[in-house]
Amino acid sequence: MPHVDIRIALWNANGISEKRVEIEFYLNYYKIDLLLLSETHCTDLTHTFIRGYTFIGVNHPSGRARGGSGILIKHNIHYEPAKNICAPNMQMTSIRLITNTNKITVAAIYCPPNTAIDRTNYTVAFNQLCPPFIVGGDYNSKHTWFGSRLSTRRGRELLSCIQGNGFDILSTGSPTFWSSNPAVVPDLLDFFIYSGVAHNAIRISE
């Protein structure tokens, strides 16, 4: 696959509306092309406006301001919509990034905690994406193989899906979640899963 010089970032927003100024600064300072958002907390009444970017998203199926995922796309980026998922255990927003020579599916995902999710759910979701693809976000699934400090059942289910389908991960190995409760140890929940992309064509930084 030809090299595509696109800068993609992950952001667990925990509510996008009240963070507009902070997000705009981040996008401009780091020259982000695509910002993959989890926990957008948007509803059908939410109007998200970020200068220089187009926003598309999937809200939580309850209709309440909770969960959700979205992508902020810089205006000079060419893309087309792709199939999304709106389910209680997974909200995934997808686009097909268009280059001069190829297309790649890019998706933002949020998997709420305390919902039932297993290898089959993950496999069905990833297999609906046209390869090559890269999916980033908050999986709420921990495994030491991803860089988490411990492994959970959800993490083992996700790892089984990844290994069973020949997918790859891209992770900093550093914590991405810090609780307001000092007794909760920081851990890694956010990373990328990808397929059909050459390993030397992508790199990750904190």
Side-chain angles (χ1 to χ4, degrees):
M1 177 180 159
H3 176 70
V4 180
D5 188 14
I6 298 292
R7 180 166 289 189
I8 303 173
L10 295 181
W11 184 302
N12 189 310
N14 195 23
I16 188 175
S17 297
E18 62 273 21
K19 297 183 175 69
R20 185 179 63 82
V21 174
E22 183 181 356
I23 290 173
E24 282 189 352
F25 174 82
Y26 177 83
L27 289 168
N28 294 322
Y29 185 83
Y30 289 102
K31 296 178 170 50
I32 302 300
D33 296 299
L34 299 172
L35 182 60
L36 310 187
L37 297 152
S38 53
E39 288 199 82
T40 52
H41 295 183
C42 294
T43 70
D44 291 342
L45 300 178
T46 303
H47 299 285
T48 301
F49 175 75
I50 302 292
R51 287 176 294 183
Y53 290 80
T54 299
F55 174 78
I56 62 171
V58 172
N59 301 335
H60 191 277
S62 68
R64 299 170 57 191
R66 57 186 293 188
S69 67
I71 305 177
L72 281 165
I73 309 156
K74 200 169 186 178
H75 283 168
N76 67 335
I77 299 296
H78 299 287
Y79 74 97
E80 60 190 24
K83 188 174 181 181
N84 298 325
I85 293 177
C86 180
N89 63 357
M90 182 184 299
Q91 294 98 58
M92 185 167 71
T93 306
S94 306
I95 63 171
R96 289 284 282 166
L97 187 65
I98 302 170
T99 72
N100 292 332
T101 56
N102 213 327
K103 294 182 180 180
I104 179 171
T105 303
V106 180
I109 192 169
Y110 177 64
C111 299
N114 305 318
T115 57
I117 192 167
D118 58 21
R119 170 180 171 161
T120 300
N121 299 132
Y122 293 124
T123 300
V124 169
F126 295 137
N127 284 344
Q128 80 167 28
L129 301 173
C130 294
F133 68 74
I134 182 165
V135 184
D138 183 353
Y139 294 90
N140 273 304
S141 300
K142 300 179 183 181
H143 200 285
T144 54
W145 199 73
F146 310 148
S148 307
R149 65 182 184 84
L150 52 83
S151 299
T152 63
R153 185 195 65 80
R154 285 170 60 121
R156 290 188 288 271
E157 292 288 323
L158 180 55
L159 179 59
S160 177
C161 166
I162 292 169
Q163 294 180 330
N165 289 279
F167 301 151
D168 293 288
I169 71 160
L170 195 62
S171 169
T172 63
S174 299
T176 61
F177 170 77
W178 292 264
S179 173
S180 57
N181 181 353
V184 176
V185 180
D187 212 344
L188 183 143
L189 298 174
D190 307 78
F191 52 92
F192 294 95
I193 295 173
Y194 68 97
S195 178
V197 183
H199 300 325
N200 62 356
I202 53 177
R203 60 186 178 86
I204 191 168
S205 61
E206 296 183 38

